[in-house]
Each structure stands twice: as structure tokens, then as C-alpha cells.
Amino acid sequence: MKWIGRRQSDNMEDRRGMSGGGKAVLGGGVLGIVILLLNTFGGENAQMLTPILEQFNQQQTTQTESRALTPEEEQEGEFVKTLLADNEDIWTKIFEENNLTFEAPKLVLFSGQVQTACGGASSASGPFYCPGDKVIYMDMTFFEELRTKFGAEGGDFAIAYVLAHEYGHHIQTILGTSAKVRQLQENRSETEGNKLSVALELQADFYAGLWTHYNENKNAMLEPGDIEEALSAANAVGDDAIQKKMQGQVVPDSFTHGTSEQRMYWFNRGFKSGDINKGDTFSEVD
């Protein structure tokens, strides 16, 4: 991905290396990522394993101290600032084209643990968006776990895809889509509520593809293999792929994010169409 020399956002806060003090949640390794994915994708196994992670975190405590960021971490921060700026520019343009007012979110890079308006989170949470404070939170160690433990190709555009997906959740928040889904879920069964969650997540994948379409036309930033990196990441985090790897079986009624095929399809649809009106996952997802 061609990113060096482009505008960087001022809406990022880098908390990596900051002193936390007290207990540091150490669920970000293999155990943490397993629990994260099982919780994310549902199923009874997730409920059974969550107390194990909590006990593990209680036992594994340490005092954290402030430290200087490594040159690699500094470069990661520069890269994320550039991605954030790209999302700001593209979504401002899309909103203007549709006579809407855009409000940019902030992004926090953290390591270990973080406090948010949605509650405390550890590195095991992976990248997530909190609608309570309209902030995207990212621990960069997630991407190494995604590559080494779950078969994603890795690469800079895998990071770009995940950030754009979380940015998509911000778009859903300011458009009112997320609030409408939560309201509908209150009167639905768990299975029906999960289907709404799937549609919401696939729409965020569509928005990630839409951002890629606009950004490629605006900045010509794609390099050979970038789309494959994004699709590989989407494939790795499909409900069916995760459940099969972690539980040995697939339970479609517990899906909350969509299958690997669906996630790749909706990213591609956004990328190839470049049309925000083609992203109505709610009417097309069974």
C-alpha cells in the first residue's frame, strides 16, 4: 500500500507505552484471542470459557511502566494516522455527495488494557468501535495473532481493511443504523437478533470496500496483493472459519458476523460498485 507522504490525521491518540499501574490484563496472547473470537462469534463454548480468561487475568498481574515507543511502533502509528486521514477524507466526500454532514471519530492505539465509554477492555478485545464515545480502539498485536494463529496473509492492507471496517461501524452510528438494529433486536429471538448482527457487520465490510474503491480512485494507493490481503483477513474472521477452527463444528444460528464467503463478498461489492446505495445487507442477508 502506498501511504508514505500522504496526509496524517490529528484524531489519533497513541497510548502505547503509557504507565497503567496495577493489574495489566494479559489476555492478548493465544488464549486471549481464542476467547475473543469465541465471544465474538457466540456459542455455548464462549460462555463456558469466559470465566477461564477472567481467572487467568486475575492470576497474571504486573506493574506497567512508561517506555519509549520502538521505531517499529512509531512507524505503525504514522501508518495508522495516514489510514485515519484517508477514511476522514473519503467519508467526508461520500457524505457531501449525499447531502449529509460528516462527523469524524477518534482513534486510540493502546496496549494491554484500555478504559472506554463502553467499559474496560484488554488487548484480547482486538480492534473495536465504541459508540458511547465514538472512538475506534486498536491494539496492533491483534494483527500478528490474526496472521500466525488464524491464517490471514497479514500485510499493511489487512490493517487497512480492519480499520475501515471499524470506521464503518462509526458510519452506522452517525446514520442511526446501529441504534435501529439494537431496537429491533429487543423484540426478536436470539437467532433473529444474530441475523441482524450479521447484516450490521457485513454492511461494515461493505463500507470498508467502498472506502477502498474511493481511495484507490483518489490516491491510486493500491499495490499488487493489497485486495488479496484484505480478503484473506475477511476470510480468516468469518464465523464459520473461526467456529470450525476453535470448536470443531459450525453453528449457523450463532453467527453474528457472517461467513467467510459473505464477508469477502460484501467487501468486494463495496470495492467494485463504489455505490453506497448497494450496501443494504439487511434486505439481502437471509
Side-chain angles (χ1 to χ4, degrees):
M1 178 180 176
K2 303 172 184 176
W3 65 273
I4 296 175
R6 300 219 307 272
R7 184 180 82 82
Q8 296 182 352
S9 174
D10 294 325
N11 283 323
M12 192 192 88
E13 179 184 353
D14 198 337
R15 298 182 189 173
R16 297 174 298 172
M18 291 177 60
S19 177
K23 183 173 70 174
V25 180
L26 300 182
V30 177
L31 177 60
I33 199 73
V34 169
I35 301 301
L36 157 69
L37 293 167
L38 285 177
N39 277 329
T40 301
F41 299 115
E44 294 181 359
N45 288 343
Q47 298 174 1
M48 294 171 59
L49 287 170
T50 297
I52 298 176
L53 177 61
E54 293 174 348
Q55 183 179 9
F56 177 80
N57 284 333
Q58 290 171 1
Q59 294 172 350
Q60 303 288 328
T61 61
T62 186
Q63 295 290 325
T64 58
E65 298 179 356
S66 298
R67 61 170 178 81
L69 297 180
T70 67
E72 291 78 10
E73 288 173 326
E74 293 281 4
Q75 186 175 50
E76 281 180 343
E78 298 296 307
F79 178 52
V80 172
K81 286 179 182 179
T82 304
L83 292 178
L84 196 59
D86 287 344
N87 276 274
E88 291 166 357
D89 294 345
I90 295 307
W91 282 107
T92 296
K93 176 179 175 59
I94 294 174
F95 270 54
E96 287 176 350
E97 290 175 351
N98 290 274
N99 297 315
L100 298 169
T101 301
F102 180 67
E103 174 189 355
K106 295 186 180 299
L107 184 145
V108 169
L109 288 182
F110 73 98
S111 58
Q113 60 184 349
V114 68
Q115 290 296 322
T116 81
C118 299
S122 76
S123 55
S125 301
F128 64 96
Y129 172 76
C130 174
D133 51 21
K134 296 180 180 177
V135 175
I136 298 167
Y137 293 90
M138 292 177 62
D139 185 321
M140 300 301 289
T141 60
F142 170 83
F143 297 101
E144 182 63 14
E145 296 281 2
L146 192 64
R147 183 183 67 83
T148 60
K149 306 302 179 185
F150 295 93
E153 290 184 7
D156 54 10
F157 209 79
I159 299 173
Y161 154 69
V162 171
L163 195 158
H165 173 94
E166 299 306 333
Y167 216 97
H169 286 312
H170 175 69
I171 301 303
Q172 292 168 327
T173 295
I174 60 180
L175 290 179
T177 309
S178 297
K180 182 180 290 186
V181 167
R182 288 194 296 271
Q183 185 177 19
L184 289 172
Q185 286 175 322
E186 292 177 357
N187 301 316
R188 305 291 178 91
S189 67
E190 181 178 354
T191 299
E192 291 174 332
N194 285 344
K195 289 181 180 179
L196 288 169
S197 293
V198 167
L200 195 70
E201 294 295 334
L202 293 179
Q203 188 178 69
D205 282 330
F206 171 85
Y207 286 155
L210 184 66
W211 166 78
T212 305
H213 171 92
Y214 271 76
N215 208 359
E216 169 61 4
N217 290 342
K218 176 177 180 289
N219 296 314
M221 55 83 176
L222 291 185
E223 294 180 314
D226 281 345
I227 295 301
E228 288 76 13
E229 289 175 3
L231 292 175
S232 177
N235 179 72
V237 294
D239 284 331
D240 52 343
I242 294 300
Q243 287 189 357
K244 186 175 181 179
K245 188 175 185 67
M246 300 284 68
Q247 302 173 187
Q249 62 179 340
V250 175
V251 186
D253 284 348
S254 69
F255 289 177
T256 57
H257 282 58
T259 66
S260 296
E261 181 179 1
Q262 286 175 314
R263 301 200 70 168
M264 290 188 292
Y265 169 81
W266 283 100
F267 173 86
N268 256 329
R269 183 160 172 173
F271 175 58
K272 293 179 179 179
S273 72
D275 184 354
I276 194 172
N277 296 309
K278 301 290 186 181
D280 183 10
T281 54
F282 296 93
S283 64
E284 297 192 33
V285 174
D286 294 330

